[in-house]
């Protein structure tokens, strides 16, 4: 099983994304389902910093000089293109020529910048990258943390003043606090703590763990809420299976990293995985979401990747073989249905009828080598003895 993840990372995911990167570290903002590069498409901060993270993390995982060299190129590109050196934070999107298109400060994007820069610093030893990551950490703590509400606001304008529309995407509710943003601040803060061992970072990680346990997690359903108002009253009713199972292992990773042995966090994580069981289908795939009697049966690439990781981590925590068997089944589904054997990389999704979703990108604003690359890297950690 371990060799299959090494092969996927080094023989499919990494080569596909390597081909995109030009000598100056830039890349096309979009590649369609048929592999056509769109050099007119805007480039998003999330895509750019996820790519930097993946090549940095992959190089650390498999000691590959080529990935390290590409990480160096990407580091140069993202730091000169996306960092707002005047007001702090990162731009949301830029044009193909590098001009700022959207200057809003989305907390989610700043989280991924911290994640990528801290990973690059772990790879390279760069003090500059570490300092940038810490500066962005302080931006979130000083600008995005709402002490009255007890959470990180979704977005602010370029100069950190309030915005009316703070949505991460058109699919989201215009909510003050969201599960998704808090999850992807928890993850980079965990990585930053592994880099710095800073007490201030540790305190922020612990505070985020408490937010998940006390505000985002619903003990009545054992699922996470997605959208909340300024008083942390829930605004939605959906179950997002991919986020639930992703959160299960990121919560444990964070608690492990800071040396916190509070069982309530691990118990929450276990309940999240158990509650996802009704979203798994007989072929090993995990559905997208459920809301008010409606099952969205589309099988998204990122949901399958998170399912595989979450199941493996559950097996490691519990020792119960049934979770390992479910993980194997999910990995089989991914190999047979989500990986593109001709064009490389992964399809966006399979539709409920089993057909490939041909209307979505192979690479783009939201399609990056983060979930699937991270899946391979996490599996290599957990299969080290196998």
């Amino acid at each position: 099983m371990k060799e299959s993840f090494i092969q996927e990372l080094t023989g499919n995911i990494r080569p596909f994304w390597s081909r995109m990167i030009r000598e100056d570290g830039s890349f096309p903002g979009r590649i369609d389902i048929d592999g056509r590069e769109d050099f007119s498409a805007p480039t998003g901060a999330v895509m750019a910093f996820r790519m930097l993270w993946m090549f940095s993390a992959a190089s650390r995982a498999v000691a590959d000089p080529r990935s390290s060299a590409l990480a160096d190129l990407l580091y140069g590109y993202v730091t000169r293109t996306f960092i707002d050196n005047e007001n702090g934070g990162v731009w949301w999107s830029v044009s193909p020529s590098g001009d700022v298109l959207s200057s809003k400060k989305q907390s989610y994007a700043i989280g991924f910048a911290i994640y990528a820069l801290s990973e690059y610093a772990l790879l390279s030893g760069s003090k500059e990258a570490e300092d940038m990551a810490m500066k962005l950490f302080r931006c979130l703590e000083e600008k995005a943390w709402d002490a009255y509400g007890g959470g990180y606001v979704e977005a602010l304008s370029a100069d950190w003043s309030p915005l009316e529309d703070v949505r991460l995407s058109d699919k989201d509710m215009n909510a003050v606090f969201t599960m998704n943003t808090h999850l992807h601040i928890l993850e980079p803060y965990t990585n930053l703590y592994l880099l710095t061992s800073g007490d201030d970072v540790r305190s922020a990680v612990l505070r985020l763990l408490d937010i998940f346990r006390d505000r985002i997690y619903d003990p009545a359903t054992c699922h996470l809420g997605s959208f909340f108002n300024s008083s942390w009253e829930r605004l939605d009713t959906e179950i997002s299976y991919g986020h639930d199972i992703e959160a299960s292992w990121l919560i444990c990773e964070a608690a492990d990293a800071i040396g916190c042995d509070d069982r309530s966090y691990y118990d929450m994580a276990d309940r999240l995985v158990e509650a996802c069981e009704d979203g798994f289908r007989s072929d090993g795939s995990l559905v997208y979401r459920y809301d008010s009697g409606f099952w969205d049966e589309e099988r998204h690439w990122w949901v399958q990747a998170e399912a595989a990781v979450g199941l493996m981590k559950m097996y490691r925590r519990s020792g119960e073989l049934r979770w390992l068997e479910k993980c194997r089944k999910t990995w089989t589904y991914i190999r047979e249905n989500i990986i593109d054997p001709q064009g490389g990389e992964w399809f966006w999704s399979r539709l409920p009828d089993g057909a490939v979703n041909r209307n979505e990108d192979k690479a783009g604003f939201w399609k990056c080598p983060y979930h699937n690359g991270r899946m391979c890297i996490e599996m290599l950690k957990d299969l080290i003895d196998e």
Side-chain angles (χ1 to χ4, degrees):
M1 196 174 182
K2 178 179 178 180
E3 287 302 319
S4 67
F5 290 109
I6 293 174
Q7 175 57 32
E8 178 58 21
L9 179 64
T10 62
N12 180 28
I13 296 170
R14 188 181 60 189
F16 178 90
W17 293 90
S18 297
R19 291 192 294 270
M20 292 177 61
I21 301 170
R22 293 173 285 197
E23 291 183 358
D24 64 352
S26 65
F27 47 86
R30 177 176 177 265
I31 295 179
D32 71 13
I33 189 68
D34 295 313
R36 291 184 292 260
E37 295 180 336
D38 182 356
F39 289 96
S40 67
T43 302
V46 172
M47 180 187 189
F49 284 106
R50 283 177 170 180
M51 287 179 67
L52 172 58
W53 175 85
M54 195 282 291
F55 281 101
S56 299
S59 184
R60 292 182 66 213
V62 297
D64 172 51
R66 175 61 175 157
S67 289
S68 180
L70 290 170
D72 291 340
L73 287 177
L74 287 164
Y75 173 73
Y77 170 69
V78 300
T79 54
R80 69 175 177 266
T81 305
F82 284 97
I83 302 292
D84 180 353
N85 292 310
E86 180 178 352
N87 293 310
V90 303
W91 311 122
W92 178 244
S93 64
V94 300
S95 71
S97 61
D99 297 321
V100 176
L101 293 178
S102 174
S103 62
K104 67 176 180 175
K105 303 296 171 58
Q106 201 84 30
S107 296
Y108 182 96
I110 297 170
F112 273 103
I114 295 169
Y115 193 40
L117 292 168
S118 59
E119 189 66 24
Y120 181 76
L122 286 166
L123 169 68
S124 65
S126 169
K127 185 65 167 58
E128 179 186 68
E130 178 180 340
D131 289 346
M132 272 193 253
M134 281 302 302
K135 189 173 182 179
L136 292 172
F137 166 76
R138 295 188 184 101
C139 274
L140 283 181
E141 294 302 300
E142 294 169 8
K143 307 293 188 180
W145 172 254
D146 178 355
Y148 178 79
Y152 294 89
V153 298
E154 277 295 287
L156 295 161
S157 64
D159 63 358
W160 303 101
S161 56
L163 283 176
E164 288 188 11
D165 187 346
V166 298
R167 292 175 298 167
L168 187 62
S169 74
D170 292 341
K171 297 178 180 179
D172 292 330
M173 298 179 71
N174 193 25
V176 175
F177 299 131
T178 72
M179 168 269 294
N180 198 15
T181 287
H182 283 77
L183 185 61
H184 294 295
I185 295 176
L186 175 65
E187 181 179 29
Y189 278 17
T190 299
N191 215 46
L192 187 61
Y193 180 75
L194 293 174
L195 173 66
T196 66
S197 302
D199 290 341
D200 50 350
V201 182
R202 186 184 189 280
S203 296
V205 170
L206 188 58
R207 185 172 63 189
L208 278 157
L209 288 171
D210 287 345
I211 288 172
F212 270 90
R213 182 191 61 199
D214 301 335
R215 292 174 171 169
I216 297 176
Y217 175 70
D218 182 353
T221 65
C222 299
H223 290 288
L224 304 176
S226 294
F227 303 100
F228 302 85
N229 66 15
S230 60
S231 300
W232 282 101
E233 295 169 328
R234 188 172 176 181
L235 303 175
D236 72 296
T237 57
E238 79 167 26
I239 296 170
S240 177
Y241 286 99
H243 286 115
D244 279 3
I245 205 160
E246 180 183 23
S248 73
W249 70 269
L250 289 178
I251 286 166
C252 293
E253 179 185 64
D256 288 345
I258 65 171
C260 179
D261 58 2
D262 188 332
R263 285 302 313 170
S264 66
Y265 304 131
Y266 298 92
D267 290 343
M268 170 176 53
D270 290 349
R271 301 294 86 75
L272 282 168
V273 178
E274 291 166 351
C276 283
E277 287 201 85
D278 65 354
F280 280 96
R281 297 298 178 252
S282 60
D283 59 6
S285 63
L286 182 61
V287 302
Y288 184 41
R289 66 187 184 96
Y290 173 83
D291 194 357
S292 304
F294 170 71
W295 287 95
D296 186 335
E297 297 274 350
E298 189 171 351
R299 295 350 187 249
H300 288 244
W301 97 97
W302 71 270
V303 176
Q304 312 317 311
E306 295 306 328
V309 178
L311 291 167
M312 177 60 77
K313 302 288 187 184
M314 184 68 167
Y315 163 63
R316 289 301 189 191
R317 290 196 303 274
S318 69
E320 295 181 26
L321 285 173
R322 71 186 184 98
W323 299 113
L324 178 60
E325 290 309 310
K326 288 178 75 71
C327 176
R328 291 182 187 276
K329 200 168 188 179
T330 299
W331 178 223
T332 297
Y333 176 84
I334 291 170
R335 284 184 294 170
E336 294 179 353
N337 296 276
I338 301 297
I339 294 172
D340 181 353
Q342 278 79 45
E345 233 293 307
W346 293 20
F347 298 121
W348 180 282
S349 68
R350 290 276 178 173
L351 299 172
D353 64 2
V356 171
N357 185 345
R358 300 195 59 80
N359 295 319
E360 296 287 357
D361 298 337
K362 182 67 72 69
F365 213 89
W366 292 107
K367 182 68 160 54
C368 319
Y370 161 66
H371 291 283
N372 52 3
R374 188 180 60 171
M375 177 202 72
C376 294
I377 291 164
E378 290 300 321
M379 289 300 194
L380 295 182
K381 293 178 187 177
D382 284 310
L383 293 169
I384 194 74
D385 299 325
E386 305 229 345

